[in-house]
Amino acid sequence: AQSVAQPEDQVNVAEGNPLTVKCTYSVSGNPYLFWYVQYPNRGLQFLLKYITGDNLVKGSYGFEAEFNKSQTSFHLKKPSALVSDSALYFCAVRDEGSNYQLIWGAGTKLIIKP
Amino acid sequence: ETGVTQSPTHLIKTRGQQVTLRCSSQSGHNTVSWYQQALGQGPQFIFQYYREEENGRGNFPPRFSGLQFPNYSSELNVNALELDDSALYLCASSLFSSDSYEQYFGPGTRLTVT
């Protein structure tokens, strides 16, 4: 069965330091991978996606993610964290064989401290 | 270009009642998906509508039903409300194509069932 795991409930990073939010997945077929961010009392905002091609994907707000097929991972990264990056981050995957469902991780709360 | 809007923002209902939530898709999008997000969890896929027909459904009972209208706006109806239906309900619109899978989310409707 398809699944997404975000092993960390919360990640704490000092402002200016690099950040990584981890995601691993399990799907049949080729994965379509996504990162979304959710601010308090707001809907989800699309950050970036991997469909095919270069394993390093660049997205909004300076975020990037690295697809690693052998480790079935899609970790979200940013070279220098901002306090405004503090939010809830979700990883999601869509199985190539499915037109419909996004399977979501439970989310990781990112806290950037000044 | 207008974004995805949802109404109402908040709603309080009593167990056993029925509720209708509304969503207006982003301009140019022809597909709408509905998700349920319980507190502290990732979104759970309810169903998706394309060209006014349901074309995918998650693990939700038939008392969760929907409609999509010719202008691509959508409704989510929930009958016989249960306490566990209390959640944030998210609507997402997208363009159904082979190349684009990102979904654009509305701010959500917070439903409380007492």
Side-chain angles (χ1 to χ4, degrees), chain B residues 19-94:
Chain B
V19 68
T20 298
L21 310 182
R22 295 178 175 83
C23 170
S24 291
S25 299
Q26 182 164 312
S27 176
H29 286 178
N30 56 15
T31 303
V32 63
S33 302
W34 285 92
Y35 295 86
Q36 180 194 68
Q37 186 180 17
L39 202 60
Q41 297 183 21
Q44 298 293 316
F45 175 73
I46 303 175
F47 44 56
Q48 182 182 73
Y49 278 81
Y50 171 62
R51 291 186 175 178
E52 302 177 52
E53 291 192 2
E54 184 182 298
N55 74 340
R57 190 177 184 93
N59 189 27
F60 280 81
R63 60 189 185 85
F64 286 78
S65 63
L67 286 172
Q68 186 184 31
F69 300 100
N71 65 355
Y72 303 124
S73 65
S74 176
E75 288 182 354
L76 164 65
N77 299 290
V78 187
N79 294 322
L81 283 167
E82 301 177 359
L83 297 178
D84 285 348
D85 295 333
S86 295
L88 180 68
Y89 287 86
L90 296 166
C91 164
S93 74
S94 58

Side-chain angles (χ1 to χ4, degrees), chain A residues 13-40:
Chain A
V13 178
E15 186 177 27
N17 283 0
L19 69 87
T20 298
V21 183
K22 296 179 180 177
C23 171
T24 59
Y25 65 89
S26 174
V27 295
S28 56
N30 294 319
Y32 293 75
L33 294 155
F34 303 82
W35 276 102
Y36 283 80
V37 60
Q38 187 174 35
Y39 296 98

Side-chain angles (χ1 to χ4, degrees), chain A residues 22-89:
Chain A
K22 296 179 180 177
C23 171
T24 59
Y25 65 89
S26 174
V27 295
S28 56
N30 294 319
Y32 293 75
L33 294 155
F34 303 82
W35 276 102
Y36 283 80
V37 60
Q38 187 174 35
Y39 296 98
N41 301 315
R42 302 278 295 277
L44 293 145
Q45 295 180 31
F46 171 78
L47 278 179
L48 50 79
K49 67 179 178 182
Y50 172 84
I51 304 298
T52 186
D54 194 349
N55 289 344
L56 186 63
V57 178
K58 294 189 183 297
S60 306
Y61 313 119
F63 283 93
E64 58 189 27
E66 186 171 11
F67 171 66
N68 187 316
K69 188 172 184 178
S70 64
Q71 297 185 2
T72 61
S73 67
F74 189 57
H75 300 333
L76 181 69
K77 300 180 180 183
K78 187 173 183 181
S80 179
L82 300 172
V83 173
S84 57
D85 293 330
S86 298
L88 192 55
Y89 289 80

